[in-house]
Amino acid sequence: MSINGAIKHFKMLNKALAFSALAALAAAAPRPQLINLDEIPDYTPTVTMVPGLTAQVVTYDPTAAISAAAADVTDSPLLQEKRDLLQARAACAAQPTMANVYNIDVSSASAFRADTIAAGKANNAVTPSGYALNFQNSGKASSAYGYLGYQTVPSYDPSICANKCNSITGCLAFNIYFERDPTVEPGTGCTNPSAFANIKCSYWGGNLDTTTLTNGGQMRSSFEVAIAGSNGYTTTKYQVISGYTTPKFLNTAVMNAPTDCNGADTYMGYKLFNEAVFDARLCSAACDAQSAYNIANPPSDGSKPKLCKFFNTYILNKNGVGQGQYCSMYTEQWSSTYATNTGQNRGSDKYTMSFSFMYGNTTDDGTPACASTDSAFCSAYINYIPPVSTIVSSFTPAPTTVTSTQVNVVTSTIYTATITAAAGHAARVRRDGNGTETGLDYSISIIESIDPSYTNKPVDIPQTASSTGLARRALATPAKFANWPASRISASCSIIATGRATTTVVSTASAPQTTVAVTSASTTTVYGTLTVPGVQLASPTAIIGSLSGSPGSYDDLYYHLDLPFPIGAFGKTSSSIWLEINGCVSLNTGFGTYSNTVLPNTVIADTTLLGYWDDLYIYQGTQQGIYYDITGEVGSRVLQFEFYTSAFQRRTEYFHFIMTFYENQVGLVKYKYFDISYNGLSATVGAQSRSAGKFLQYSFNQAVINPGLEITIDTNAGTMTHTG
Ligand SMILES: *[C@@H]1O[C@H](CO)[C@@H](O)[C@H](O)[C@H]1NC(C)=O
Ligand SMILES: *[C@H]1O[C@@H](CO)[C@H](O)[C@@H](O)[C@@H]1NC(C)=O
């Protein structure tokens, strides 16, 4: 009789630790890989070994189990189904029996256990090919992980069991033993029926060891079931999983892996399966599904998803009872030398591990690129340009003093003078009635010139004057990456090529400043052209200076002249007059006085015509000078003195005017001005005669003498008129 529909399902423990939770753990701090006992609920294997059967069949469906293990990743509902309970059988019902082929003493449980024939069979049994002996001639039978049923066999021959185990999907071990069984179902009316020696093989989806020897028999009514000659065998053919390395058997030790070369925890977490047989493919399915899940659901912090490249699977036992198949998953393959955990205690409970194997991904051992050795290559390989973090550091400079300079620009204009002179006329000669030429009536004789050479005057600074015009103013690929596919190099490198470049920006606070204002002057010289009148007289004769360049510089000179006709003012007349370089014409005596005063003046000559009394000056090498011309017929001749001068130590100033006297209007004088620097601000203009007690003053140090001005002073009438 078999268990109806006894498809054995497995269930997952710790749903809270489903793969989604593992994913969340991917970036968590390193955890020990010791079994988290708090997470493992007490588990009593639902091994229901039904006695009195010739066989009990429990099947394992690996396809369903593996796909369920994988499907659990997405939290799909899992089929959880308890096996059917067997119906109680009627007391005294005949049980299947077998012949006592070895004449074992079944008279009592103790005799049965001590039977030497049974012991001899057990001790002499040949270990079947593909299996290893776990225990021999025990008085107990195993209750292990992954119950797959049992059967009675006709002889104590482990090879029969091995062949059967080989045919059972998921079978990894078997236990062959003698069992003292009742011939009928013990119960009312047959509480201690006669016994027979049964030979049984139980089949297991997990390994056997002495810790599994927990079934020493039991009372069934008054009948004592006993065990003898119990041998355990576990397969030595380890599961090969496509895509994974040949499993490495770690026996009772499990991994306690270190962090990787970048200090990252390679332990990803675990899954615990139970009520299934031990099947490493559950782990590989979970491992693969975990990788797929993590790729599909990358960490929100932008880090790379952790991929499962290695797992350690084993049976976790609590006090010798298999609790389930444990799968520890890792991102990197580790050497078996890290399999150092052989058990833990909690209170009086002892947890041990058995049937431990490790598997690694054959194409990718999960070794990462290491920041310590591979950064340069990786940065170059993936062309990683670190993002720049800007650190602002502030800097307050020391207080400073700022000198603010205000430049006052003085514009000085230097003109190039274009001089316009009057058109010349033929030399004027006078002929007497017989045609004899006479020049006397048109010329002036210089009787003497006087240079007062004032010693208190500052010496004029000689200048170099123009002779014309007025002087006017690959990396190599490291060996470790040689056989890596590009995708792996990229993924691995992108984990370590995560640096940030730092740039420091200095934020400079403004320094406390003291501002000191300084004023400085600067002169800008502007060159311009100016049309100025040249010597105006049509036929000028120099009294001093020269149109071809004054031979010297002259100051304060005055000249005694003999005129062809008398001139005068206020009734005082004379043809012996004095011509002052300082802009005056005087009668009878001259003067060199250069400091002009208001009129009347008591120092200068008695009768003086002041065309422009100032400290005038003639500079050497210029056309500056005093020129005269006499025109008109005798009786109505006109005498003109043209002053074409600068001023003492004011060589860029110019004073250009003509004083005109009339032969037929003695006492009347005209002053005509062409260019006067500062328009008369330092001059006296007018006429005086102390002896006549009269004077006419047009201006004294007033800026009223403008170019073009013509003043007519009629000393006889006592009038001054002007035009321009
Ligand atoms: C092994 O790793 C590679 C690279 O990540 C992956 O593509 C492959 O699926 C893995 N193999 C298994 C069996 O998980
Ligand atoms: C003309 O000539 C002069 C010489 O210069 C004489 O002195 C004059 O007397 C003369 N006059 C006449 C009218 O002959």
Side-chain angles (χ1 to χ4, degrees):
M1 187 174 171
S2 67
I3 298 170
N4 292 333
I7 301 293
K8 185 162 186 171
H9 297 285
F10 69 96
K11 71 176 179 182
M12 302 287 183
L13 285 182
N14 298 316
K15 294 294 285 182
L17 279 188
F19 290 115
S20 54
L22 274 180
L25 288 171
R31 292 151 289 144
Q33 298 127 49
L34 300 181
I35 292 90
N36 188 340
L37 301 174
D38 290 333
E39 293 176 347
I40 297 175
D42 275 341
Y43 168 67
T44 302
T46 55
V47 174
T48 307
M49 192 175 288
V50 181
L53 306 176
T54 53
Q56 181 178 8
V57 177
V58 177
T59 58
Y60 167 63
D61 181 346
T63 305
I66 293 168
S67 70
D72 188 66
V73 169
T74 53
D75 278 338
S76 61
L78 292 171
L79 182 59
Q80 298 182 65
E81 186 178 319
K82 288 282 188 185
R83 284 172 291 146
D84 298 336
L85 291 175
L86 294 171
Q87 288 159 4
R89 279 165 293 169
C92 303
Q95 300 297 296
T97 60
M98 62 182 292
N100 192 347
V101 290
Y102 300 114
N103 292 316
I104 292 170
D105 185 351
V106 297
S107 58
S108 70
S110 55
F112 184 81
R113 291 185 179 110
D115 187 87
T116 56
I117 297 171
K121 284 291 171 189
N123 287 330
N124 294 321
V126 175
T127 300
S129 165
Y131 287 85
L133 178 68
N134 303 118
F135 50 83
Q136 193 167 27
N137 193 32
S138 172
K140 293 181 177 178
S142 286
S143 180
Y145 179 74
Y147 177 60
L148 286 172
Y150 76 87
Q151 68 176 152
T152 57
V153 289
S155 62
Y156 191 98
D157 182 354
S159 68
I160 298 173
C161 310
N163 287 339
K164 177 67 177 175
C165 184
N166 291 344
S167 71
I168 297 173
T169 300
C171 182
L172 298 173
F174 63 88
N175 179 201
I176 181 169
Y177 53 92
F178 296 102
E179 185 176 80
R180 179 178 182 268
D181 281 338
T183 54
V184 298
E185 181 72 14
T188 304
C190 45
T191 56
N192 189 11
S194 58
F196 74 100
N198 216 344
I199 304 173
K200 280 188 170 180
C201 284
S202 63
Y203 300 102
W204 304 94
N207 71 309
L208 298 183
D209 56 34
T210 54
T211 66
T212 65
L213 293 170
T214 55
N215 174 17
Q218 72 276 349
M219 296 304 296
R220 299 181 62 191
S221 190
S222 298
F223 182 89
E224 184 175 4
V225 176
I227 307 293
S230 174
N231 280 11
Y233 300 89
T234 299
T235 182
T236 56
K237 290 179 184 166
Y238 303 142
Q239 272 182 295
V240 172
I241 303 174
S242 172
Y244 283 89
T245 54
T246 302
K248 170 87 177 170
F249 182 52
L250 303 174
N251 201 359
T252 58
V254 300
M255 297 299 295
N256 195 13
T259 55
D260 72 10
C261 62
N262 297 315
D265 190 5
T266 66
Y267 176 60
M268 298 171 69
Y270 73 92
K271 286 299 300 180
L272 180 67
F273 305 101
N274 65 13
E275 290 198 57
V277 302
F278 178 94
D279 186 343
R281 292 171 300 178
L282 298 179
C283 279
S284 67
C287 183
D288 295 347
Q290 184 63 56
S291 294
Y293 179 90
N294 286 1
I295 289 168
N297 300 277
S300 57
D301 66 1
S303 62
K304 291 289 173 187
K306 285 196 166 190
L307 304 183
C308 179
K309 299 299 178 194
F310 177 71
F311 64 83
N312 179 199
T313 184
Y314 49 88
I315 294 170
L316 175 66
N317 306 294
K318 176 183 178 184
N319 300 324
V321 178
Q323 300 292 298
Q325 180 184 347
Y326 207 93
C327 294
S328 295
M329 290 174 247
Y330 298 84
T331 59
E332 181 176 351
Q333 289 188 31
W334 293 107
S335 148
S336 60
T337 58
Y338 292 105
T340 56
N341 180 8
T342 55
Q344 293 165 247
N345 291 320
R346 183 172 65 171
S348 58
D349 292 327
K350 181 174 175 63
Y351 287 84
T352 56
M353 289 71 71
S354 58
F355 214 49
S356 174
F357 293 89
M358 64 183 205
Y359 289 78
N361 183 305
T362 47
T363 58
D364 182 352
D365 64 7
T367 307
C370 300
S372 59
T373 55
D374 305 321
S375 282
F377 167 77
C378 282
S379 292
Y381 187 85
I382 65 171
N383 196 22
Y384 175 75
I385 297 170
V388 176
S389 292
T390 300
I391 295 173
V392 177
S393 95
S394 76
F395 169 70
T396 303
T400 59
T401 299
V402 172
T403 302
S404 122
T405 304
Q406 163 147 9
V407 178
N408 292 337
V409 178
V410 174
T411 301
S412 156
T413 306
I414 295 179
Y415 292 101
T416 300
T418 301
I419 300 170
T420 60
H425 57 72
R428 191 173 290 273
V429 293
R430 173 153 178 83
R431 292 174 192 279
D432 286 340
N434 60 6
T436 302
E437 288 185 14
T438 172
L440 289 177
D441 292 341
Y442 292 93
S443 66
I444 291 173
S445 302
I446 299 174
I447 298 167
E448 61 177 324
S449 78
I450 296 174
D451 183 354
S453 295
Y454 295 105
T455 54
N456 60 335
K457 269 186 98 165
V459 175
D460 188 54
I461 303 161
Q463 75 164 11
T464 303
S466 150
S467 62
T468 59
L470 289 170
R472 295 245 179 181
R473 345 216 198 170
L475 289 170
T477 303
K480 110 186 228 186
F481 297 106
N483 296 317
W484 290 21
S487 60
R488 181 177 172 196
I489 299 178
S490 298
S492 185
C493 281
S494 65
I495 291 171
I496 63 163
T498 55
R500 293 182 76 83
T502 301
T503 178
T504 301
V505 172
V506 177
S507 151
T508 305
S510 47
Q513 289 187 341
T514 305
T515 301
V516 175
V518 169
T519 302
S520 81
S522 151
T523 301
T524 298
T525 302
V526 175
Y527 294 86
T529 57
L530 184 69
T531 299
V532 299
V535 171
Q536 294 295 298
L537 298 177
S539 186
T541 299
I543 295 170
I544 180 172
S546 170
L547 288 176
S548 58
S550 174
S553 294
Y554 305 104
D555 185 28
D556 300 330
L557 291 173
Y558 51 103
Y559 295 85
H560 187 189
L561 305 179
D562 186 24
L563 303 184
F565 57 89
I567 60 171
F570 303 111
K572 310 292 181 180
T573 64
S574 177
S575 60
S576 174
I577 63 106
W578 296 78
L579 174 73
E580 284 82 23
I581 197 172
N582 285 337
C584 300
V585 170
S586 55
L587 302 189
N588 302 318
T589 187
F591 58 91
T593 310
Y594 55 85
S595 294
N596 65 305
T597 68
V598 69
L599 296 183
N601 176 284
T602 58
V603 174
I604 61 174
D606 179 278
T607 300
T608 303
L609 296 144
L610 306 103
Y612 193 90
W613 184 25
D614 195 0
D615 192 5
L616 304 182
Y617 197 94
I618 291 161
Y619 285 89
Q620 182 176 16
T622 71
Q623 287 186 325
Q624 292 171 15
I626 303 172
Y627 302 91
Y628 79 93
D629 193 8
I630 298 173
T631 57
E633 296 302 316
V634 174
S636 60
R637 285 172 294 189
V638 175
L639 167 62
Q640 293 181 296
F641 291 113
E642 180 166 358
F643 289 76
Y644 195 55
T645 68
S646 279
F648 179 74
Q649 292 191 339
R650 287 138 56 195
R651 66 185 64 218
T652 58
E653 297 178 11
Y654 46 94
F655 303 91
H656 184 192
F657 57 96
I658 292 177
M659 299 173 71
T660 304
F661 299 90
Y662 300 91
E663 184 178 13
N664 58 8
Q665 287 181 288
V666 179
L668 183 143
V669 62
K670 287 189 180 176
Y671 304 156
K672 167 95 176 182
Y673 300 91
F674 300 95
D675 280 313
I676 296 293
S677 292
Y678 309 117
N679 306 86
L681 264 183
S682 66
T684 303
V685 174
Q688 76 164 21
S689 175
R690 282 196 302 273
S691 56
K694 295 180 180 172
F695 72 93
L696 290 168
Q697 178 175 290
Y698 184 81
S699 68
F700 168 68
N701 290 353
Q702 293 164 271
V704 295
I705 311 301
N706 301 313
L709 174 69
E710 187 174 67
I711 304 169
T712 300
I713 302 178
D714 186 346
T715 61
N716 300 319
T719 60
M720 284 191 296
T721 57
H722 70 269
T723 60

